[in-house]
Amino acid sequence: MDKGGFNFYDYLRIFRRRFKIVILTFVVVTVVSSVYTRRQNPVYEAVTRVKVIESATSQELLTALIAYNPADVMASEVQMIKSHIVMEEAARRLGLIKAESTPLEVEHAVARLQGAVSAEQVKSTNIIEIKALSSDPEVATQIVNAVAYAYKGKRTEEKRRQVKEAREFIESQIDIIGSKLRTAEDALRIFVKNRMSEGQVYLPGSKDKVADLEFTLYQLRQTYTDWYPKVQQLKAQVDSLKQEAKIWESSEIERERLAREVTLSADMYSLLNTKYREALIAEAEKTEPVTIINPAVVPVSPINPRKTINIVIGALMGLFIGFVFAFVAENIDTSIGRIEDVEDYLKLPVLGIIPQIKFDKTTGETEFALEKQLITHYSPKSSVAESYRILQTNIDFALMDKNIHTILFTSTIHEEGKTLSAINCAVAMAQAGKKTLLVESDLRRPRLHRLFGVSKEPGLTDLLLRKLKFEDVKKGAVDFVLGKMGMEGVTKTPGIENLTFISSGYLPPNLIGVLNSRAFTDFVDKVKKAFDIVIFDCPPILPLPDAAVLGSKIESAILVHQAGKVARRALYRAKIALEHTKTDIIGIVLNNIKAYELEPDTGYYYSKYYRYKYTEEKPRVRKFFKKRTKV
């Protein structure tokens, strides 16, 4: 991981390390969502569609003129479907409201239907879709059909009421307008009659005659004075004609006003008669403003719960929560999960990286103990065996300039793979031609003798307490042949003849006293002179004092660590405990490492290396095909 933060490989590594948490959370959440979905009551939805017929015929124009028409008719119709009067009528149709029902029961029934029914306009149409929900598909169908017919009935009643009110209104207006028409006609007739009796006659050309007389009067005034008789006569004649024209114009204006009143009253009377006949036709036709175009049918499948969708959502939520738990577990985990972190934290070189060994637990105990764990002998060409040989090589380089022949293998706690590392490293050194001694000094839980298939007695404790000779307790190739390995197992891979093994022996009550004795010190001094390398398998250092006691007597130590298993503070305390013994810690071995626990580039090469096998190169065979030619 870069120090700047997480990258993709860090997320992938966390996922693979916490794979069980992710899978467990995924399974639990998916199962819970599945069970919850299956235990939910099914909800069915019945749907019907109604068409609201807009006023378009001549018979309906009158109603449209008189009735209130809001800007959004369809929105008003949707609200009417969910109104109290429609729901009450639907409840009566369904039998939810009876004649003896109390007002409270009526309100409960209406509220129940309003909660189960919804309505919305189909986009850009005059069609309204009505839906009803119920746990019973037949009940849902009955509810939505009852609401649709109740709405249709109420709208029909309203339309008929509007037509009837319009007819009655027109009837009353016909009488009023008819009376006004008759009054206007009588007034016009009387006015014309009176004007004629008064002798008011309009003479055509009167205006031209007045103009001619005024021109003649103007010429006379050029010659004569106003007192000249002919001038005075013409002046009197002009004034008389002007007065008669003024009286006639005033009378004509009044006549035109009376004529307009007659015309307007006549037109209104005619229009009302036309509308009255249309209203009679509309009332007789009994048109319905709402049409049910898709009556509801019984739904086959419920809309809720959506089992597949709910389970898929539950699975996705399970994965998400699993990842969250994985990151939480990673954050609260105090162990060191990466190789680079181990080196930075302990300031120790990593001598070897031992990949994870997958055991087949279906096999027998003997095969599991011998062939699967003594892997450098039984599978010398495997990638794991190569890892142990790399460890053996790195140890040789680390001890090259040091006169050290004894190595202590220990770990922080139990089950980190120290015994497995010690025995395979010893076998690898023996295969490299080194005269090697492997000592089973873990007197708490001795296991090496079982891996070689030999008896643990006599052994180290017999040598130290019973004063047996070294030749009496050592075990070599002959003992391995006589043990469970057999001749075939021993001869499988050369090099084991260079290995000498000392088992634990019988287990005395005072183990620390045995390891801290002068006899053990003498034993160490003796064997490091007789062998090229001596490997001691010791108990873990933190829970037991054995490794500290042995560390004070052995020249060097190797700390075996399984990444992600031990808290970093515990690992650090193990290093400090070894340093207090004055032993030389030459490095650390990382055991049971998976490829994803390495850095991306390192993990790539290791994963490729783990899959590498020794194979004999097969010669290439080339086939030559001769082309046939036609003769």
Side-chain angles (χ1 to χ4, degrees), residues 298-547:
V298 178
V300 178
S301 58
I303 61 169
N304 280 319
R306 296 172 294 180
K307 296 182 179 179
T308 303
I309 296 178
N310 288 356
I311 292 174
V312 170
I313 293 175
L316 294 177
M317 288 298 297
L319 281 177
F320 176 75
I321 296 173
F323 276 111
V324 171
F325 285 167
F327 279 99
V328 170
E330 186 71 15
N331 287 330
I332 64 177
D333 187 5
T334 59
S335 64
I336 304 178
R338 300 189 313 138
I339 298 171
E340 290 71 14
D341 294 338
V342 174
E343 291 182 328
D344 294 340
Y345 188 69
L346 296 181
K347 307 301 180 185
L348 291 175
V350 174
L351 299 176
I353 300 174
I354 311 303
Q356 184 184 33
I357 303 173
K358 296 181 179 180
F359 297 109
D360 185 6
K361 296 186 178 181
T362 60
T363 59
E365 175 63 26
T366 301
E367 183 182 1
F368 175 76
L370 297 178
E371 296 188 5
K372 299 301 180 181
Q373 297 202 37
L374 199 57
I375 197 165
T376 51
H377 179 72
Y378 284 98
S379 300
K381 296 181 180 181
S382 66
S383 59
V384 180
E386 287 295 336
S387 299
Y388 283 114
R389 278 191 281 272
I390 292 174
L391 170 62
Q392 172 254 318
T393 303
N394 289 335
I395 292 174
D396 289 343
F397 280 112
L399 301 180
M400 183 178 297
D401 298 330
K402 301 178 182 179
N403 187 23
I404 294 177
H405 298 276
T406 56
I407 303 175
L408 174 84
F409 273 75
T410 186
S411 60
T412 305
I413 60 173
H414 292 289
E415 298 181 354
E416 288 193 78
K418 62 173 183 60
T419 299
L420 194 65
S421 299
I423 189 173
N424 282 283
C425 183
V427 172
M429 288 184 174
Q431 291 173 348
K434 293 180 179 293
K435 189 177 181 183
T436 307
L437 173 64
L438 177 62
V439 181
E440 188 177 32
S441 54
D442 185 356
L443 303 181
R444 306 283 181 167
R445 297 173 62 180
R447 291 182 60 240
L448 288 177
H449 65 279
R450 287 190 296 167
L451 299 182
F452 283 114
V454 297
S455 175
K456 70 176 180 179
E457 297 181 10
L460 179 62
T461 55
D462 300 287
L463 175 66
L464 300 177
L465 297 178
R466 296 181 180 178
K467 305 300 182 181
L468 294 181
K469 294 181 179 181
F470 180 81
E471 289 73 13
D472 297 333
V473 298
K474 71 175 184 178
K475 298 175 176 64
V478 176
D479 299 281
F480 301 153
V481 170
L482 297 176
K484 293 181 179 180
M485 292 182 67
M487 178 62 72
E488 183 179 358
V490 172
T491 58
K492 185 176 182 62
T493 304
I496 199 171
E497 64 274 5
N498 296 324
L499 177 64
T500 303
F501 171 61
I502 296 181
S503 60
S504 61
Y506 83 99
L507 302 181
N510 185 14
L511 298 179
I512 298 299
V514 174
L515 298 177
N516 202 23
S517 64
R518 179 66 184 176
F520 184 80
T521 304
D522 296 338
F523 167 73
V524 173
D525 293 337
K526 179 181 179 181
V527 296
K528 72 181 180 180
K529 296 176 182 179
F531 292 88
D532 297 330
I533 194 74
V534 182
I535 295 177
F536 292 84
D537 177 34
C538 299
I541 189 167
L542 283 190
L544 300 170
D546 303 38

Side-chain angles (χ1 to χ4, degrees), residues 198-210:
E198 293 176 358
Q200 295 180 7
V201 179
Y202 177 74
L203 298 175
S206 295
K207 291 183 178 181
D208 295 338
K209 186 176 181 181
V210 169

